[in-house]
Amino acid sequence: MDKSIILHISDIHCSLGRLRDILASLPIKPLILAATGDFECEKAAVAVLEWSKRECVTLLAVTGNLDHAGVRRVLHSSGVLIDGRLVRVGGLVFAGVGGMDPRTSREMLLRSIESSRLPIDVLLTHHPPHGILDTTFAGVRAGLHDLKTLVDMHKPRAHLFGHIHESPGIEVVGDTVFVNPGPAYEGRYALVKIFNGFVEAELHTA
């Protein structure tokens, strides 16, 4: 039986104050914290790590396009970075595509899927897939076609991402629930509940 409550945050952009607001205002304790990139500074990555350890919450993270080698090093050395990797947490399989080098990360992930033959339950990426919760202020669809193809091929139950600050929302396409929580630097986050294959998501602002 797979059952999980996931706190999904993205795009902290080094706003430690708003991050603390989110973590202090949660209406329910999550089992997993999914951080989908753009920490933008090592202090933000460390703050998320320390909170997850203190609260005994499993942390899974991918990098964002504005993250640098120092952020990646902090996440990788702590064993929470899943760029290009598959990780099983409880009864769920999580997959990650990082935003620092999404093409290479996606290719690594595809090799992992091929060798393991595991189904993906939850996909974490920084960028959105093309055409879903990816519209910029200029009206441009800025999601990645490669991610749309990945989702179409492997049909995760949930796809969690950020990057496009102005397109927060929840969208269901086929069997996949797509969630862009909006930027954490504005106090935005999502809670995603998965129970026996059913996915329910809520957007919140601290």
Side-chain angles (χ1 to χ4, degrees):
M1 180 177 68
D2 56 313
K3 179 179 180 181
S4 192
I5 299 172
I6 303 167
L7 166 61
H8 176 206
I9 60 174
S10 192
D11 301 276
I12 300 168
H13 291 291
C14 212
S15 181
L16 300 182
R18 296 315 296 267
L19 175 62
R20 285 192 291 268
D21 291 343
I22 290 172
L23 299 176
S25 68
L26 298 176
I28 189 171
K29 181 178 178 178
L31 298 175
I32 297 167
L33 195 167
T36 55
D38 275 2
F39 298 84
E40 203 171 342
C41 68
E42 292 163 72
K43 287 183 179 179
V46 170
V48 171
L49 280 163
E50 289 179 345
W51 181 86
S52 64
K53 289 178 181 178
R54 185 169 62 250
E55 298 296 327
C56 298
V57 172
T58 299
L59 173 60
L60 301 174
V62 295
T63 58
N65 63 299
L66 293 181
D67 288 327
H68 53 76
V71 171
R72 190 185 189 284
R73 184 166 53 251
V74 168
L75 298 172
H76 178 71
S77 64
S78 299
V80 303
L81 186 69
I82 65 167
D83 287 14
R85 297 176 56 215
L86 290 169
V87 177
R88 186 189 294 275
V89 180
L92 298 174
V93 175
F94 289 77
V97 175
M100 291 178 69
D101 185 357
R103 178 165 293 184
T104 300
S105 185
R106 176 181 174 273
E107 290 172 355
M108 290 173 57
L109 178 61
L110 287 173
R111 289 195 294 270
S112 296
I113 294 170
E114 184 177 0
S115 62
S116 69
R117 298 189 178 181
L118 289 172
I120 299 174
D121 294 306
V122 183
L123 176 63
L124 306 184
T125 69
H126 179 63
H127 296 85
H130 184 77
I132 298 175
L133 302 173
D134 68 337
T135 305
T136 68
F137 282 128
V140 176
R141 291 285 197 176
L144 301 185
H145 289 278
D146 282 351
L147 291 180
K148 180 64 165 57
T149 300
L150 179 66
V151 172
D152 289 344
M153 287 174 57
H154 295 282
K155 297 177 173 55
R157 302 180 194 184
H159 182 186
L160 313 183
F161 52 86
H163 185 55
I164 306 299
H165 301 174
E166 54 267 47
S167 285
I170 300 164
E171 191 168 331
V172 181
V173 179
D175 296 324
T176 303
V177 178
F178 298 85
V179 184
N180 178 350
Y185 76 83
E186 293 181 351
R188 297 175 180 265
Y189 66 97
L191 290 173
V192 181
K193 302 173 184 178
I194 301 178
F195 181 74
N196 283 352
F198 178 76
V199 180
E200 178 183 309
E202 304 169 348
L203 300 184
H204 295 265
T205 302

